[in-house]
């Protein structure tokens, strides 16, 4: 039997109580069945992942290294004045390097902890001391390196590959360049800053 709403809201159907109960039971059954299937698939994929990790630990570590590298590179506060590195041992990631702001140390650890497959993060990142002299040296070394005609191409990257670490007035360069010639020029430029 169908009734029309007096407000023009469309047709409404009146169902018997026993039919409504059967419909609710069917919906409940379908929901439970769907959840059971989803859990079974999740367990299957988890088992496959564990088996793959046990069979191919080197590949699993390589995949984990790729994910860790990607997460570190997209950290919003990661600049040329910071250097983050890592080592992987099974499902443990050890963070290394130096950062100019303490927030980057904790952000890096937090980002790595969220990666699937990481069970533990050991954070050995050093927070560099705050020093106006070091800040000035960083700026001058940056200009000397990235304004050099041969090295200017590296400045166009989101996080340029030459990382300038300054601690207590001492300059260290970290990163990977295209060739030895560029590496030599970067070192000469860095050491030309007084």
């Amino acid at each position: 039997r169908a009734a029309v709403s007096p407000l023009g809201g469309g047709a409404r159907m009146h169902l018997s109580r026993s039919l409504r109960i059967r419909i609710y039971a069917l919906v409940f059954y379908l929901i439970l069945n769907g959840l059971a299937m989803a859990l079974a698939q999740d367990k299957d994929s988890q088992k496959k992942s564990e088996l793959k990790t046990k069979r191919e630990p080197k590949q699993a570590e390589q995949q984990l290294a790729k994910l860790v590298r990607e997460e570190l590179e997209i950290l919003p506060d990661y600049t040329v004045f910071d250097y983050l590195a890592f080592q992987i041992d099974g499902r443990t990631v050890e963070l290394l390097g130096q950062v100019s702001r303490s927030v980057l140390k904790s952000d890096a650890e937090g980002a790595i902890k969220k990666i699937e497959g990481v069970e533990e993060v050991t954070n050995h990142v050093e927070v560099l001391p705050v020093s106006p002299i070091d800040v000035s040296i960083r700026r001058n070394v940056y200009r000397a390196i990235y304004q050099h005609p041969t090295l200017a191409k590296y400045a166009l990257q989101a996080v340029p590959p030459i990382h300038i670490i300054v601690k207590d007035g001492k300059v260290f360069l970290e990163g990977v360049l295209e060739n030895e010639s560029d590496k030599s020029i970067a070192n000469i430029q860095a050491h030309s800053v007084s």
Side-chain angles (χ1 to χ4, degrees):
R1 165 177 166 212
V4 178
S5 168
L7 299 176
R12 260 183 78 185
M13 195 174 253
H14 294 281
L15 303 175
S16 69
R17 185 169 191 261
S18 65
L19 185 57
R20 278 195 314 245
I21 290 172
R22 279 190 249 156
I23 290 172
Y24 289 140
L26 179 62
V27 169
F28 185 70
Y29 168 78
L30 291 173
I31 289 171
L32 285 180
N33 194 24
L35 286 173
M37 287 175 49
L39 287 173
Q41 285 177 343
D42 189 40
K43 284 183 181 179
D44 280 349
S45 67
Q46 214 172 28
K47 286 179 185 176
K48 287 178 186 174
S49 177
E50 287 173 12
L51 286 173
K52 189 174 182 180
T53 302
K54 288 177 185 174
R55 269 187 273 147
E56 304 161 4
K58 210 53 161 169
Q59 287 181 337
E61 272 191 19
Q62 289 172 345
Q63 180 64 24
L64 186 58
K66 180 181 177 208
L67 293 171
V68 169
R69 187 176 311 103
E70 288 171 355
E71 284 298 315
L72 292 177
E73 288 174 352
I74 63 169
L75 287 169
D77 292 322
Y78 190 39
T79 70
V80 296
F81 304 121
D82 308 299
Y83 179 68
L84 293 172
F86 62 91
Q87 293 179 344
I88 296 177
D89 183 19
R91 293 176 174 259
T92 300
V93 177
E94 180 182 12
L95 291 173
L96 307 161
Q98 301 84 20
V99 295
S100 57
R101 289 166 320 284
S102 61
V103 69
L104 185 55
K105 178 179 179 173
S106 58
D107 286 353
E109 183 176 345
I112 302 310
K113 281 182 177 179
K114 292 178 184 174
I115 297 174
E116 185 178 338
V118 173
E119 290 179 357
E120 184 181 347
V121 177
T122 310
N123 196 340
H124 294 290
V125 174
E126 175 188 7
V127 178
L128 298 169
V130 178
S131 161
I133 293 171
D134 287 354
V135 170
S136 177
I137 293 171
R138 282 184 195 112
R139 255 194 322 254
N140 292 336
V141 170
Y142 179 88
R143 282 190 208 114
I145 290 174
Y146 288 109
Q147 288 180 356
H148 188 278
T150 304
L151 304 175
K153 63 186 174 192
Y154 295 112
L156 301 175
Q157 298 177 20
V159 177
I162 306 169
H163 293 266
I164 303 161
I165 306 302
V166 181
K167 180 179 179 183
D168 300 326
K170 294 179 185 153
V171 177
F172 305 92
L173 299 180
E174 299 284 353
V176 179
L177 301 180
E178 291 176 5
N179 54 57
E180 284 297 316
S181 174
D182 289 355
K183 181 179 173 183
S184 296
I185 293 169
N187 280 315
I188 292 167
Q189 290 300 108
H191 290 99
S192 71
V193 174
S194 51

